[in-house]
Each structure stands twice: as structure tokens, then as C-alpha cells.
Amino acid sequence: MTDKLLLATILCLMGSSALAQGLLEGNYNVTAFCNSVPTGTQLGSIVSCEYYYVCQSTGPVQVNCTSGYAYNYTQNACQPASQANCFYGLESPCSATTGESFAPVSGSCNKYYACNNGVSVGTGSCPAKTKFDATSRQCIWGSCSTDLVESDTPNLNSLCDVVPPNIWFGTTENCETWYKCTAGKADPSTGECSGDTTSFNVQKQICDYSTNNVCGRVTDQPLISTTTGACTSGTAPKGDATICSQYYQCQNQQWQTYNCAYGYYWDTLTSTCLTRQAATPTKGCNRCQYSTDMFVNAVDSGNCTNYYYCKNGAATSLYCDSGLFFNEERQGCVSDNDLETYTETYGACHGATASGSSSTTDAGSSDSSDSTASTAESSSTEESTTEATTTEKEE
């Protein structure tokens, strides 16, 4: 049984890593979305009206409409371009309209074109607390995301802008949450499974028991990425200063937020996700994340003396005395004679060097043994009664 569980965990992590490298259209993670809907579901593209995606068990497969047709995601069909209510990838969105009408401005949530016989005659913006709905071609109640970037590249404003109405779907960020889009509404209904049926089964469209085949979709990759400020195209990715597993990539001159698979941290040296132990994450991030130990290393490239006491995921800062470093494997402060070897395995202390002193701080034990015990003091002013017992490596 243990071997089977181990294999399932390995396969899950492999699947998570593959999904993390999935198909993206701007802030729209098509691969993640496909993993959250029933197999066979069709999803619209926000890059072009000329094609759509069919979600297979192996991921999204692109299917092209015939010439002169555009994909209408609400109807699950390619239709004549003037009838499909699709405007993505068009040089002139008004060309997909007839008579007097309106069309959305690409990359915006609340701006629109005023159209007359397929030609733009002006632009406008929806009033406060409303957004432009491409399907009804009017301003409807709703608010634009504060993370949305206005640019020439399309952004996914709502989950309901690509998924067909009247199907339930999940999310890659947890097992419990479900969504459902309804025709005429800009945003989805949502809820959570509870009680004995704690996982939403996207294939059965119901809340089901929490089993691997029900909830193998969770990868922490959001269906719609968020942005955290401006950046310059070509800028290298960067890690988060608080959450070790989180990182940012520059897309469309804005930082987009991503997360590594469960148990992995963003590694600042390789700009990839590595296992928690091996990664050298951003200094200051909380390394209690994913740890089952009471004490863990802080990111410390100096002499590896800083560490955390973990309780319910929260970290309290502590430090070792001079001549010692914190050894996460041994759960204590030990002689820094072996620091160089330790840094080869534990990325949090990458680049750390010994203090140059072989002396250690004795806790006052009268034991004549070479192994002595000492207690690390908290570097914060917060009172704490929990301290790590430290052990000097035996000579």
C-alpha cells in the first residue's frame, strides 16, 4: 500500500510539473483550465476567433474553424463571423458586427467601440461598477479586476468568457471549489463541497469523495494569472519575498503571478522550481511552507545561523550562537565545521561560510562528553517559550 501511495505522489508531482509548463494565452492558462473541466469540453481562445480548444485527457487540442467562420463558445460551434460574437484577433472588431452595434476594445474590461455597418465611429467606456459584455454587446453590472492590464494583447476578464454556460467546473488551486457559468451573467456562480464529499469531481459534475482520481488537478496554477505591477519585456523571472513557492514572470509589460507545484520552491539560482530542500528561494520567504518539522532554516547565505520556529505555518525568527549553524536535518544548531557539506544539499544556506571560530557556546552542562547542548536565542523581541535544543557535532 505504501509503495502505491508513493508512486501516486510521484506521478502527481510529475503531472503538476508538466501542467506548470502548459499553454498560456496572455493571463489565460488554457492547460490548467482544461484540467478543471470534463474531458471533451470546448474552450474558446482569447487570441483568435478562428480556432478553439478541445480538452482531452492529455491537455488542450487546437481545432480550426473553416474560412469565414468564427468560434462562438456559448454555442459550442463555429458560426459565420458576423454572428459569432467573437472579436479576438480582429484588426477591426467592428468588422464582426452589422448595422449599429458595439464591440469590445481588446485588452480592456469596460471600453467599447461604437460601430456602424462594420466600421468604428467612436469609442466609449462603461459607467462605474459595470463592464462591457461581448455577448450582449452592452454594459452590464460587474467590476473590472484591479489586476487587469490594458494592452494590445487580450486579457481574460472572467472565467465565463471562454467556458460554455451550464457546466460545472473546478479550479487547480483547491479540491473543494466549483464554478458554473450561466448565460447572460458576466461572472460564474461558485460554491464549495463539504461534509463527506469534500472534492468536486469535474468528470461526474458532482461533489465526490476525496480520492486521487477526483482531485489530481490541483497544481496551484491559477486559471487566470494575476499581475503585480509593471515590468520590461525580457526581464528575468523573480521569486516572492514572502511565499517561497510563488514567483513572477513578465508578460505584456506586467508581472504575472505563478506558483510551483506542491512541495516545490522557486529557485533563484536556476529560475526554476526545485524541491523545498534543494531550492535557494528569495531571502525572507517563509520556509515553514510545506515543512513538517518544528524548526527550519531561514534563507541565509552568510553563516546559516538564522532559522525559524514553525507553528501552524507561521514563522518565528531564531538564531544560533557564534560558531554554530542551524542543521535542519538534525533539528538543532551544530558546529559549523560541516557547513560547507551542508550547503551542498540545503539550498537555503547556499554560499554560507563558517565563522572561522571552532568554539561553541556551552549550555553549562557538567557532562564531560564531547557532545554538548546549547539553546538558541530568539532574534525577535516577541516572547517565546519554545526553543530549539542544539547539538554540537561529535568530534
Side-chain angles (χ1 to χ4, degrees):
M1 177 62 73
T2 302
D3 291 340
K4 291 182 178 179
L5 290 175
L6 178 60
L7 177 60
T9 302
I10 293 173
L11 292 175
C12 180
L13 289 175
M14 290 174 62
S16 299
S17 299
L19 189 59
Q21 304 299 323
L23 175 63
L24 293 172
E25 290 190 347
N27 66 337
Y28 168 32
N29 192 327
V30 185
T31 305
F33 216 131
C34 264
N35 209 33
S36 299
V37 298
T39 302
T41 299
Q42 296 177 188
L43 297 177
S45 166
I46 64 169
V47 171
S48 174
C49 295
E50 297 178 350
Y51 57 81
Y52 58 96
Y53 298 101
V54 178
C55 294
Q56 305 290 357
S57 59
T58 54
V61 176
Q62 181 179 314
V63 179
N64 296 323
C65 296
T66 57
S67 179
Y69 281 67
Y71 182 69
N72 185 337
Y73 75 95
T74 65
Q75 301 297 318
N76 277 327
C78 294
Q79 297 179 326
S82 61
Q83 303 173 17
N85 285 319
C86 185
F87 304 92
Y88 294 120
L90 300 179
E91 183 175 350
S92 174
C94 283
S95 64
T97 67
T98 57
E100 294 184 354
S101 186
F102 301 94
V105 173
S106 177
S108 175
C109 174
N110 65 347
K111 294 181 179 180
Y112 57 85
Y113 296 104
C115 307
N116 190 352
N117 294 322
V119 178
S120 173
V121 294
T123 60
S125 297
C126 295
K129 297 183 179 181
T130 63
K131 58 199 297 187
F132 187 80
D133 178 54
T135 302
S136 61
R137 303 188 192 185
Q138 62 182 355
C139 296
I140 63 173
W141 180 261
S143 59
C144 295
S145 169
T146 56
D147 292 324
L148 182 64
V149 184
E150 290 195 8
S151 67
D152 294 334
T153 302
N155 285 283
L156 183 60
N157 301 328
S158 168
L159 298 175
C160 292
D161 287 347
V162 291
V163 66
N166 301 320
I167 70 165
W168 282 268
F169 57 99
T171 173
T172 52
E173 297 179 81
N174 64 65
C175 302
E176 300 82 16
T177 303
W178 56 262
Y179 297 102
K180 182 184 179 183
C181 294
T182 304
K185 292 186 177 181
D187 297 308
S189 303
T190 185
E192 291 188 354
C193 299
S194 60
D196 293 333
T197 55
T198 57
S199 293
F200 181 72
N201 188 324
V202 297
Q203 303 300 333
K204 294 182 180 179
Q205 298 275 276
I206 60 173
C207 289
D208 206 344
Y209 291 101
S210 181
T211 58
N212 289 336
N213 64 325
V214 170
C215 204
R217 65 182 176 275
V218 175
T219 61
D220 292 329
Q221 296 295 314
L223 306 185
I224 300 179
S225 300
T226 58
T227 62
T228 56
C231 59
T232 303
S233 295
T235 303
K238 62 179 182 179
D240 185 86
T242 303
I243 305 173
C244 297
S245 65
Q246 188 165 282
Y247 63 97
Y248 307 97
Q249 289 186 324
C250 189
Q251 294 183 344
N252 305 324
Q253 286 75 54
Q254 289 288 319
W255 288 112
Q256 304 285 342
T257 306
Y258 295 92
N259 286 279
C260 298
Y262 184 87
Y264 284 65
Y265 283 174
W266 177 254
D267 181 60
T268 59
L269 303 180
T270 63
S271 292
T272 58
C273 293
L274 298 179
T275 60
R276 177 188 168 280
Q277 177 179 315
T280 303
T282 305
K283 185 175 182 179
C285 73
N286 180 6
R287 288 192 73 259
C288 290
Q289 182 188 19
Y290 303 142
S291 176
T292 57
D293 292 326
M294 183 177 295
F295 300 97
V296 300
N297 287 106
V299 180
D300 183 0
S301 61
N303 50 21
C304 199
T305 61
N306 295 301
Y307 65 103
Y308 296 131
Y309 161 58
C310 302
K311 184 176 181 180
N312 297 327
T316 300
S317 296
L318 302 167
Y319 64 89
C320 297
D321 291 332
S322 177
L324 305 176
F325 79 95
F326 183 76
N327 187 308
E328 191 168 306
E329 183 178 353
R330 298 181 64 181
Q331 287 292 283
C333 295
V334 302
S335 169
D336 60 11
N337 292 337
D338 293 322
L339 179 57
E340 183 177 348
T341 302
Y342 184 78
T343 59
E344 295 176 357
T345 304
Y346 285 83
C349 293
H350 176 80
T353 56
S355 63
S357 172
S358 60
S359 63
T360 61
T361 303
D362 199 326
S365 171
S366 60
D367 190 349
S368 61
S369 170
D370 289 339
S371 177
T372 62
S374 62
T375 303
E377 299 175 351
S378 174
S379 62
S380 67
T381 57
E382 179 179 339
E383 183 177 354
S384 175
T385 59
T386 305
E387 298 175 322
T389 298
T390 62
T391 303
E392 180 178 320
K393 182 174 178 62
E394 296 181 1
E395 298 294 326

